[in-house]
Amino acid sequence: MQTALFADIVGDSEISLWGLSGRKRLQRMLAGFKTVSLLDDLSALPDDANVLLLRADYLFDARVIEALLTLHENMVLLSPAHTPVAILTTGKHAQAMREVLNESLSLPVHLKRYTLESLQIGVQQNLKKKDSPYVLPIDRSNRKALESELFAASYKGVTDLVTKWLWPTPAFWVTQLCVRLGLKPNHVTLLSLLLALWAGVAFWYGYFAIGLIMGWGMTFLDTVDGKLARVTLTSSKIGDVLDHGLDIIHPPLWYLAWGIGLGGTATPLPNLELLVWLMFLGYIGGRLCEGAFQLWLAPFDIFIWRKLDSFHRLITARRNPNLILLTASWAIGQPETGFVLVVGWHLLSTAFLLFRLSIACYHRSQHGILHSWMEYIDPVRDRQQLAVKVFTRIPLAQQYDKPTISN
């Protein structure tokens, strides 16, 4: 349980990353913790108050700050180059410790030293991944590398093959453009919503080519808005609801519209109503399996339970793999085949999820709590494993340091 404490940011960075200075980034990160009060003046701090001091010329992994907030002792966090970058202390010693981070005073010998390895940071459940944490100095020489690091860190580890391998490079460029233009994630989400609606209308009336262009545009923007939100630490409740709600609602409506659109083609599908019902059965059934696993069996997503489940997520019946089926079928002039394939792939994927859910239930009854395979690996040490190569990454090498900061 996190203890209420104060936080003070020391100095600032000489450059901005994704439009945010080091100080501004830390302010936004700390604002996400309800137990933290950000200080403007150390002089008013009670002697016995707990305070976390952070250097603003360093890029902190959010998980590192979260881990520091759970500690209950005076300590200093050392960067990989053994430079003090964060200190947890009391109000009585806060000013002196601030000078330590400013490198005006030497680090006290008695202060307990922590490294990134000491913090024992584990699996990121929300992003379905396990990457090594980082604390990196911010300067002009590594600006591009740090922006790339932040962008890569914003990606889910376990996701579909399109999001993992096709979108990252163009999404990086478009996210940069959004930052330069001052666009917010909600702006991108609203455009994504419009494309989703237009794609559905196009499918409904049999304009499959136009619908596919809009559909792929929507899926691309769905990647961009999330990355933009994470690299700029900008989010809102309405944006979160729109984004996740749209992701859940629109795919089956697209497939329904595609099926109806087939009625105006030269090869309308027989038993269309039955196929539509089977599609909804497969879609809803798959979602229910995922929800049941996380609600009753484990505190993590079914797709990071075993390596097999993570590989299944690459191709399971979600929007992007299904769009591949629809696009391929349209390209060969058989849009009706695409609809049948989507229905069949939903049913097969859901059957597999039901099988995995039953295995998980048995495992839980026999062995107790379930654990994700990611809990037992190290992204660097176990790099030779295929699943580790595919679903984890090695963050930017932490081999450089910078001795001074601005005041």
Side-chain angles (χ1 to χ4, degrees):
M1 182 178 179
Q2 292 180 348
T3 303
L5 52 76
F6 296 90
D8 182 52
I9 300 172
V10 181
D12 203 351
S13 62
E14 61 179 10
I15 61 168
S16 296
L17 302 175
W18 293 106
L20 297 177
S21 69
R23 171 173 286 271
K24 187 65 175 179
R25 182 171 296 277
L26 283 173
Q27 287 172 345
R28 291 191 181 183
M29 292 172 72
L30 291 168
F33 298 98
K34 295 181 179 179
T35 58
V36 178
S37 298
L38 193 58
L39 289 169
D40 293 321
D41 182 10
L42 283 178
S43 62
L45 192 65
D47 285 351
D48 59 349
N50 295 317
V51 58
L52 175 64
L53 307 173
L54 297 164
R55 285 182 63 155
D57 64 336
Y58 274 76
L59 177 64
F60 284 83
D61 189 326
R63 297 172 296 162
V64 171
I65 294 181
E66 185 175 10
L68 291 174
L69 296 178
T70 65
L71 299 178
H72 304 286
E73 60 181 338
N74 293 344
M75 51 75 65
V76 57
L77 177 67
L78 302 177
S79 75
H82 306 291
T83 301
V85 293
I87 294 178
L88 189 60
T89 186
T90 61
K92 181 178 180 179
H93 301 101
Q95 188 58 54
M97 293 302 100
R98 202 176 197 279
E99 295 306 315
V100 169
L101 290 187
N102 270 319
E103 300 189 2
S104 300
L105 292 177
S106 299
L107 183 65
V109 176
H110 69 274
L111 199 59
K112 185 168 183 179
R113 288 156 170 77
Y114 274 73
T115 63
L116 293 177
E117 291 74 19
S118 306
L119 297 178
Q120 298 182 342
I121 294 171
V123 179
Q124 292 174 269
Q125 308 290 6
N126 60 327
L127 294 179
K128 303 181 183 68
K129 67 178 182 178
K130 182 178 183 180
D131 291 339
S132 300
Y134 57 83
V135 174
L136 298 166
I138 303 172
D139 59 40
R140 297 186 184 280
S141 66
N142 63 7
R143 176 178 182 172
K144 291 183 178 179
L146 291 179
E147 289 195 331
S148 295
E149 173 67 17
L150 278 170
F151 186 81
S154 73
Y155 255 87
K156 291 180 179 178
V158 177
T159 186
D160 67 87
L161 72 171
V162 174
T163 302
K164 177 169 284 292
W165 290 308
L166 181 60
W167 289 153
T169 298
F172 181 87
W173 297 335
V174 173
T175 303
Q176 282 189 323
L177 179 62
C178 290
V179 171
R180 287 199 294 269
L181 296 177
L183 296 177
K184 305 299 182 185
N186 284 356
H187 298 147
V188 181
T189 301
L190 287 174
L191 179 55
S192 178
L193 173 60
L194 290 175
L195 288 178
L197 292 173
W198 292 337
V201 172
F203 291 153
W204 186 283
Y205 287 102
Y207 298 108
F208 299 122
I210 296 174
L212 285 169
I213 292 172
M214 292 181 177
W216 281 114
M218 180 270 166
T219 69
F220 176 69
L221 292 181
D222 189 41
T223 288
V224 172
D225 64 2
K227 308 306 169 287
L228 180 61
R230 293 187 188 113
V231 299
T232 62
L233 297 170
T234 305
S235 62
S236 67
K237 289 184 178 180
I238 188 171
D240 189 60
V241 170
L242 278 175
D243 187 37
H244 290 90
L246 181 61
D247 285 347
I248 293 173
I249 293 172
H250 83 271
L253 298 182
W254 275 4
Y255 312 142
L256 171 63
W258 187 284
I260 292 174
L262 290 171
T265 66
T267 55
L269 276 175
N271 301 315
L272 177 60
E273 185 176 348
L274 174 61
L275 289 172
V276 168
W277 279 110
L278 289 174
M279 179 272 295
F280 276 106
L281 175 66
Y283 180 82
I284 295 172
R287 290 290 188 169
L288 288 176
C289 287
E290 296 173 35
F293 180 91
Q294 198 160 358
L295 181 63
W296 293 317
L297 299 178
F300 51 84
D301 194 291
I302 191 172
F303 293 115
I304 62 171
W305 178 35
R306 293 288 185 262
K307 295 174 182 177
L308 174 64
D309 303 304
S310 296
F311 281 108
H312 176 225
R313 180 63 181 88
L314 289 172
I315 58 170
T316 194
R318 289 289 189 92
R319 178 192 59 211
N320 289 353
N322 285 330
L323 271 182
I324 293 175
L325 297 176
L326 293 176
T327 303
S329 69
W330 168 81
I332 62 174
Q334 297 181 16
E336 70 283 354
T337 300
F339 185 76
V340 174
L341 288 174
V342 166
V343 173
W345 192 231
H346 268 108
L347 295 174
L348 284 173
S349 294
T350 297
F352 184 77
L353 284 172
L354 279 170
F355 169 71
R356 296 299 296 161
L357 188 63
S358 64
I359 296 296
C361 288
Y362 175 78
H363 192 280
R364 176 66 184 268
S365 67
Q366 296 297 311
H367 305 288
I369 190 169
L370 303 182
H371 294 275
S372 167
W373 68 271
M374 290 186 174
E375 296 178 37
Y376 303 105
I377 59 99
D378 181 279
V380 178
R381 181 196 65 210
D382 301 316
R383 209 72 203 154
Q384 74 283 359
Q385 298 180 29
L386 179 60
V388 174
K389 290 180 180 178
V390 172
F391 300 113
T392 72
R393 64 185 184 86
I394 302 177
L396 187 65
Q398 302 170 24
Q399 300 298 322
Y400 43 82
D401 211 307
K402 175 170 169 278
T404 60
I405 65 176
S406 57
N407 290 305

